[in-house]
Amino acid sequence: MLKIRVGGWVFLAACFLSIYRVYPLAKSAGLAGFFVLSMILHESGHALAARYYHARVHEVGLCIWGGYIRYEKPADSLYQAVILSSGMMMNLLCVVPFWFIPTIGPLVSVWNLILFVSSVLPLPWFDGGKLLKLCMRQA
C-alpha cells in the first residue's frame, strides 16, 4: 500500500517550490512530478525484490526525508542484500529512458543518478550503509 504522510506532502511541496523559482509553472510541475516518481520507483524496486523473495511488504510511502518501505526482513542475508540493492538499481535503470522525456529528461536523468549515488554512500540511513552493516555482520 502506498502512503503519503504529512511530511510527504511537505517533501512534494519542497520539490515543486525549489524548482518553481527556476523554471516556468508547467515545467516545474513536470519536474517535481518526475522527481517524486523517481523516489517511488526507487522504493518500488525494494518492494518488487522483497515480494520476489516472499518477504511481506507492509507499506511503501513518502515522508519528510523522501521514500521508505516497511517489510519483513528475509532470513537469508543474500536476499536482504538484493532487496537493499534493488532500489538503487531501479534509479540506475531509469537514467537512460528518462533522458528522452521532452524538455525535462536530462534533469530527471541526473536526478536519478544523484539518487543512485546517494543510495550507494555507506552512511547508516542510506541503502549503502545498511548494505555495509549487513556485510559486516556476515564477516
Side-chain angles (χ1 to χ4, degrees):
M1 159 161 84
L2 178 64
K3 269 192 175 179
I4 300 180
R5 297 176 180 248
V6 173
W9 293 109
V10 172
F11 176 76
L12 292 169
C15 282
F16 175 74
L17 291 174
S18 64
I19 299 165
Y20 180 66
R21 299 192 49 83
V22 180
Y23 298 105
L25 179 63
K27 190 171 185 177
S28 297
L31 280 169
F34 274 102
F35 288 169
V36 170
L37 176 64
S38 296
M39 298 291 287
I40 291 171
L41 287 173
H42 176 99
E43 299 307 327
S44 295
H46 293 306
L48 288 171
R51 296 284 302 232
Y52 181 79
Y53 290 114
H54 306 291
R56 188 165 180 243
V57 176
H58 300 288
E59 187 177 6
V60 177
L62 293 175
C63 56
I64 193 79
W65 63 84
Y68 68 92
I69 180 172
R70 292 198 177 116
Y71 62 97
E72 293 175 9
K73 308 284 188 272
D76 190 324
S77 301
L78 179 60
Y79 295 168
Q80 177 66 12
V82 171
I83 292 169
L84 284 169
S85 302
S86 62
M88 57 183 97
M89 290 296 112
M90 184 67 87
N91 288 120
L92 195 57
L93 287 172
C94 289
V95 170
V96 172
F98 280 2
W99 186 271
F100 297 101
I101 299 169
T103 70
I104 61 172
L107 290 171
V108 177
S109 290
V110 168
W111 171 252
N112 276 280
L113 278 175
I114 290 169
L115 282 174
F116 170 76
V117 169
S118 66
S119 293
V120 173
L121 293 175
L123 299 171
W125 52 89
F126 290 136
D127 295 333
K130 294 172 187 172
L131 194 55
L132 180 63
K133 184 179 175 183
L134 181 67
C135 290
M136 300 281 278
R137 268 197 318 242
Q138 297 305 311

